[in-house]
Amino acid sequence: MKDTKFSIAIHILSIIALNPNPVNSVEIAKSVGTNPSYIRKIMSLLKDLKDGGEIVSLKGMPNREFAKEMNMGLAKELLFNVAARKIEKEAKKRNQNYHFIFVQANGQQLEEAAKILEKNQIHPLIGNQYSLTEVNAALADVAHRKSLGKVIINF
């Protein structure tokens, strides 16, 4: 999965995990800012993840493994264990592993992330572009989720 498909897939998994009741593609599409048919397409791609693969999230739900690695203590381990239970259960059904990564703004971590993105040829989807004088329109675009992809302000 390339571009925004990966982040939307993680978003879908997070919504499913956080909602005690079933959710449909219309509800998910509203939260992502896209149409329901696109959500159904992404959901079908999730079924095609390689058996035994790894699901790595930068924005999804932290899990117990993450709390242990960050030395957050037993209370947060238990909390994150419950919070990520549905995502991990779904991954386990497919013989996959779910990992949450907390990204900090440091040079070494950014270099590693850049290498992974370059190696896997992952490129962000570029949405609408604006000049500096159109900054209000760009902010409105983001607020109303009118652009699919990254909103760019050119200087």
Side-chain angles (χ1 to χ4, degrees):
M1 290 187 281
K2 291 183 182 179
D3 304 333
T4 61
K5 290 178 186 172
F6 182 73
S7 60
I8 290 175
I10 294 301
H11 187 94
I12 291 168
L13 291 173
S14 298
I15 288 174
I16 291 169
L18 293 173
N19 282 293
N21 301 317
V23 290
N24 61 42
S25 59
V26 174
E27 294 171 283
I28 296 171
K30 284 181 185 176
S31 72
V32 176
T34 189
N35 64 55
S37 63
Y38 188 67
I39 295 298
R40 289 190 293 275
K41 178 181 176 184
I42 299 295
M43 290 173 83
S44 72
L45 291 173
L46 286 173
K47 294 177 185 170
D48 296 333
L49 288 175
K50 185 169 54 173
D51 192 41
E54 303 291 321
I55 300 172
V56 180
S57 173
L58 305 175
K59 294 169 57 176
M61 180 57 59
N63 59 0
R64 186 176 193 153
E65 177 186 329
F66 170 76
K68 280 182 182 179
E69 289 174 7
M70 299 297 288
N71 297 314
M72 294 182 156
L74 184 60
K76 287 193 179 171
E77 284 182 35
L78 295 174
L79 175 68
F80 290 162
N81 186 52
V82 171
R85 183 176 291 150
K86 285 185 182 177
I87 292 174
E88 290 182 329
K89 184 178 179 183
E90 197 61 33
K92 194 172 192 174
K93 282 184 193 175
R94 296 181 174 97
N95 193 30
Q96 298 163 347
N97 296 307
Y98 173 78
H99 306 278
F100 177 81
I101 298 173
F102 181 70
V103 179
Q104 299 172 354
N106 70 45
Q108 181 183 356
Q109 199 172 53
L110 291 172
E111 282 181 34
E112 287 178 37
K115 287 177 188 175
I116 291 169
L117 295 173
E118 187 176 305
K119 177 183 172 190
N120 293 296
Q121 296 181 353
I122 298 172
H123 306 283
L125 180 64
I126 304 298
N128 296 330
Q129 296 189 36
Y130 298 91
S131 69
L132 189 56
T133 59
E134 300 172 301
V135 72
N136 289 334
L139 292 171
D141 189 340
V142 172
H144 299 291
R145 298 180 178 189
K146 290 183 179 177
S147 181
L148 182 61
K150 304 292 181 189
V151 174
I152 306 295
I153 299 175
N154 297 306
F155 291 88

